[in-house]
Amino acid sequence: MPSLHIRAETSLSPEQFLAALTDFGPQRGTIWSNSQLTHFKLHELGTSHADVTEGSTAFGGVWERLHYDWSKPGFVQLRTIDSNIWTNGSNWQYNLEPAHNGSGTLITAKVTRYPRSKKGYLVLIILASVGRPLITRSFRNKVRAVKI
């Protein structure tokens, strides 16, 4: 790390996956486990952007304030604005394109992390050494769990 690339396929259309990714309602944490209610706060929601604080109890509590931008078709970026462990430049990028078989969506995600604290460096070391398969499996499970 600092960057990890993940690919996943879903039977959902790109628009349906985008709708699930940008649904900031009370059920968000059921799919997106890094968005537990104890850390969740929607600061602003526009037609193609959002300002959201999300986090989980993992590693003793991890949170980040993210600027979601889905203004460009087929592309979503979650840019870290503030965090207890990540610094500016950390982000998630999703490319959503129709699957090659013509049914569903191929999702290519890139996760970039730059630590800001000792805890961030420790989490990054753990993720870089043993976390890649866990993050990849977790992301693919989340993609499969999305139901519209």
Side-chain angles (χ1 to χ4, degrees):
M1 241 161 166
S3 290
L4 171 65
H5 298 266
I6 307 167
R7 294 171 53 99
E9 287 194 41
T10 178
S11 60
L12 299 172
S13 70
E15 296 79 17
Q16 289 172 316
F17 182 78
L18 175 63
L21 183 62
T22 59
D23 178 354
F24 301 104
Q27 297 300 318
R28 183 164 182 78
T30 37
I31 293 173
W32 311 106
S33 58
N34 59 337
S35 190
Q36 296 172 352
L37 283 177
T38 54
H39 293 282
F40 181 79
K41 182 171 183 183
L42 179 61
H43 304 278
E44 180 184 348
L45 178 60
T47 56
S48 61
H49 73 278
D51 181 4
V52 182
T53 298
E54 299 181 279
S56 75
T57 56
F59 301 106
V62 174
W63 63 268
E64 63 185 319
R65 186 167 179 175
L66 296 160
H67 176 78
Y68 280 69
D69 180 351
W70 60 95
S71 59
K72 182 179 171 188
F75 182 75
V76 183
Q77 181 167 345
L78 288 61
R79 185 175 42 84
T80 301
I81 299 170
D82 191 17
S83 173
N84 65 332
I85 66 169
W86 309 121
T87 190
N88 293 342
S90 297
N91 65 73
W92 285 77
Q93 295 178 351
Y94 296 92
N95 286 299
L96 311 175
E97 57 188 76
H100 300 293
N101 64 8
S103 175
T105 302
L106 173 62
I107 303 163
T108 306
K110 179 182 177 187
V111 185
T112 303
R113 294 298 192 202
Y114 297 104
R116 103 180 253 165
S117 64
K118 290 179 185 177
K119 185 178 191 177
Y121 280 100
L122 179 61
V123 171
L124 188 64
I125 289 168
I126 292 168
L127 293 177
S129 60
V130 297
R132 286 179 189 267
L134 298 174
I135 294 169
T136 300
R137 184 174 41 245
S138 173
F139 178 72
R140 288 180 178 157
N141 288 339
K142 289 172 186 175
V143 167
R144 280 193 289 276
V146 173
K147 304 269 189 274
I148 299 293

